[in-house]
Amino acid sequence: MESKSKLKRDLLSKDIRIKRKAVRQLFETEEHWVLELFKKLLSDNDIWFQSKALNAYKRYAANKEHLHDLIQTKNQSCQRVAAELLQKIPDESAAEILIKSKDSQTKKNAAKCLVRKEKWRHSFLEDESPIIRAVGIEHTENDEILIETLDDEHPLPVLSSISKIKLKNLKIKEPEIKRLLERDHERITASISDIILDSFPHLFQQLIQKSNEKILSDIAIKIHGNKEFYVKVKEHAPHLLPRVLRNQNEMNALEFRLNCIFDENLDSQIRAKLIEQFPQKNHQYSANLEVLSTHEDDLIRITTNNLLDSFETTSG
């Protein structure tokens, strides 16, 4: 290993090969002084050397002086790393600087550091920044404030409040749920879908109307394996059944699929889709389905016969 003085000289070399070799050698040592040399690279004109210096600080930083090395560059990337390091190197003075950053992730990590102290928590709840309000909500134990925050003008504190309410097993009343749905915000709608399924199934159709493809997929995943939710979907949003039951092969799901397939009150297109998706390895159900092979509805009859043919092929 080269000496510290030799590595220091090489880092100042105009020969890019020598300079890069010195960086690689610095990473091979575990000496505490490596950041003294990497510090100079934080402001290097070459982005490669900047990124290596940031990696070194992520790896070796151990005290608040190292945080302030990053902060003093006034470089957004450096300050973002400093804010990340606050989780393992808590420093109030550094966090107070970083919380003023325009970068949302830097601001959030700085707030997470400061909120550990009681004196910051109350002010965060009333801060003009929704990012900071959201962090404040994550750390409040006041149930009334959590419910009130559901009406915050910005979605971030609202989402934090919903998460904390779920964590504490608090109840959200129907008027609040309706207001949240009316906001027509993708992440908010997704976050309350399980609450609606569980406590307000009569609002499920409205939930579906407010949901895009991503939310519908999320809802389907949340419902997987839960027979009680399957029933609610069938009652309030039957067109979602093929999506919910797709690739669900456990006994509860298979029995429920059969129940829906034989339900003459369901739309034939939904029933046909459920038949089409039937797991082809489950040959034991062929006798159950045989009766539909002569069904008067063309779509159901054709789809059933295609499935029965596939049973014969895979069993053979």
Side-chain angles (χ1 to χ4, degrees), residues 18-166:
I18 293 175
K19 192 173 178 181
R20 289 195 175 200
K21 182 180 177 182
V23 167
R24 287 192 291 270
Q25 289 178 322
L26 278 173
F27 274 111
E28 293 173 2
T29 182
E30 298 297 327
E31 296 291 340
H32 68 279
W33 47 260
V34 294
L35 290 187
E36 294 177 31
L37 304 189
F38 274 118
K39 179 180 178 180
K40 297 181 182 297
L41 298 181
L42 290 172
S43 302
D44 197 279
N45 291 328
D46 189 320
I47 191 66
W48 188 88
F49 290 105
Q50 281 187 33
S51 66
K52 294 302 179 183
L54 284 175
N55 287 340
Y57 270 82
K58 290 178 183 179
R59 180 173 175 179
Y60 298 114
N63 56 55
K64 64 181 181 180
E65 285 73 23
H66 295 149
L67 296 180
H68 287 278
D69 288 346
L70 293 161
I71 292 171
Q72 287 165 7
T73 65
K74 297 184 179 179
N75 176 288
Q76 188 177 89
S77 296
C78 291
Q79 293 197 345
R80 182 176 291 182
V81 171
E84 292 172 5
L85 290 169
L86 285 170
Q87 303 308 308
K88 71 172 184 177
I89 312 172
D91 180 61
E92 189 170 358
S93 62
E96 285 189 61
I97 297 170
L98 293 169
I99 202 170
K100 298 174 184 176
S101 171
K102 293 181 180 179
D103 179 72
S104 60
Q105 194 58 47
T106 299
K107 185 185 290 290
K108 180 178 180 179
N109 284 328
K112 284 185 174 181
C113 175
L114 293 173
V115 80
R116 297 171 184 173
K117 294 192 174 182
E118 184 66 34
K119 70 176 185 178
W120 292 96
R121 291 177 192 167
H122 182 71
S123 63
F124 278 8
L125 294 172
E126 299 177 352
D127 197 274
E128 64 179 17
S129 166
I131 295 170
I132 295 177
R133 291 202 304 278
V135 172
I137 283 298
E138 290 171 6
H139 291 80
T140 187
E141 296 301 327
N142 188 310
D143 296 352
E144 185 176 344
I145 290 175
L146 289 172
I147 297 299
E148 288 176 355
T149 304
L150 294 175
D151 290 317
D152 193 285
E153 62 184 15
H154 196 279
L156 285 180
V158 175
L159 290 165
S160 291
S161 180
I162 293 170
S163 295
K164 192 65 179 282
I165 285 170
K166 289 180 180 180

Side-chain angles (χ1 to χ4, degrees), residues 74-263:
K74 297 184 179 179
N75 176 288
Q76 188 177 89
S77 296
C78 291
Q79 293 197 345
R80 182 176 291 182
V81 171
E84 292 172 5
L85 290 169
L86 285 170
Q87 303 308 308
K88 71 172 184 177
I89 312 172
D91 180 61
E92 189 170 358
S93 62
E96 285 189 61
I97 297 170
L98 293 169
I99 202 170
K100 298 174 184 176
S101 171
K102 293 181 180 179
D103 179 72
S104 60
Q105 194 58 47
T106 299
K107 185 185 290 290
K108 180 178 180 179
N109 284 328
K112 284 185 174 181
C113 175
L114 293 173
V115 80
R116 297 171 184 173
K117 294 192 174 182
E118 184 66 34
K119 70 176 185 178
W120 292 96
R121 291 177 192 167
H122 182 71
S123 63
F124 278 8
L125 294 172
E126 299 177 352
D127 197 274
E128 64 179 17
S129 166
I131 295 170
I132 295 177
R133 291 202 304 278
V135 172
I137 283 298
E138 290 171 6
H139 291 80
T140 187
E141 296 301 327
N142 188 310
D143 296 352
E144 185 176 344
I145 290 175
L146 289 172
I147 297 299
E148 288 176 355
T149 304
L150 294 175
D151 290 317
D152 193 285
E153 62 184 15
H154 196 279
L156 285 180
V158 175
L159 290 165
S160 291
S161 180
I162 293 170
S163 295
K164 192 65 179 282
I165 285 170
K166 289 180 180 180
L167 187 65
K168 297 186 70 176
N169 290 318
L170 301 178
K171 298 295 183 184
I172 304 179
K173 295 179 180 179
E174 184 171 332
E176 282 86 5
I177 289 291
K178 285 183 174 179
R179 288 202 298 274
L180 290 170
L181 271 178
E182 288 167 2
R183 293 178 72 131
D184 204 15
H185 185 277
E186 177 181 336
R187 291 180 63 193
I188 291 176
T189 301
S191 70
I192 62 173
S193 61
D194 53 346
I195 298 175
I196 291 174
L197 285 168
D198 193 31
S199 302
F200 305 103
H202 56 285
L203 297 179
F204 190 60
Q205 185 62 43
Q206 187 178 346
L207 169 65
I208 297 304
Q209 291 171 352
K210 296 286 186 180
S211 298
N212 57 24
E213 284 298 309
K214 182 179 183 305
I215 297 175
L216 290 175
S217 296
D218 289 343
I219 291 171
I221 291 170
K222 288 175 182 176
I223 291 171
H224 283 173
N226 192 314
K227 187 174 181 180
E228 182 181 351
F229 283 177
Y230 291 163
V231 173
K232 291 177 181 178
V233 173
K234 182 181 179 184
E235 181 180 356
H236 299 284
H239 66 281
L240 195 59
L241 284 170
R243 188 192 298 261
V244 168
L245 292 171
R246 183 188 301 154
N247 299 323
Q248 296 304 295
N249 299 329
E250 72 278 3
M251 187 62 67
N252 277 346
L254 287 172
E255 289 179 355
F256 189 77
R257 180 186 292 274
L258 281 172
N259 174 277
C260 294
I261 287 171
F262 282 96
D263 188 343

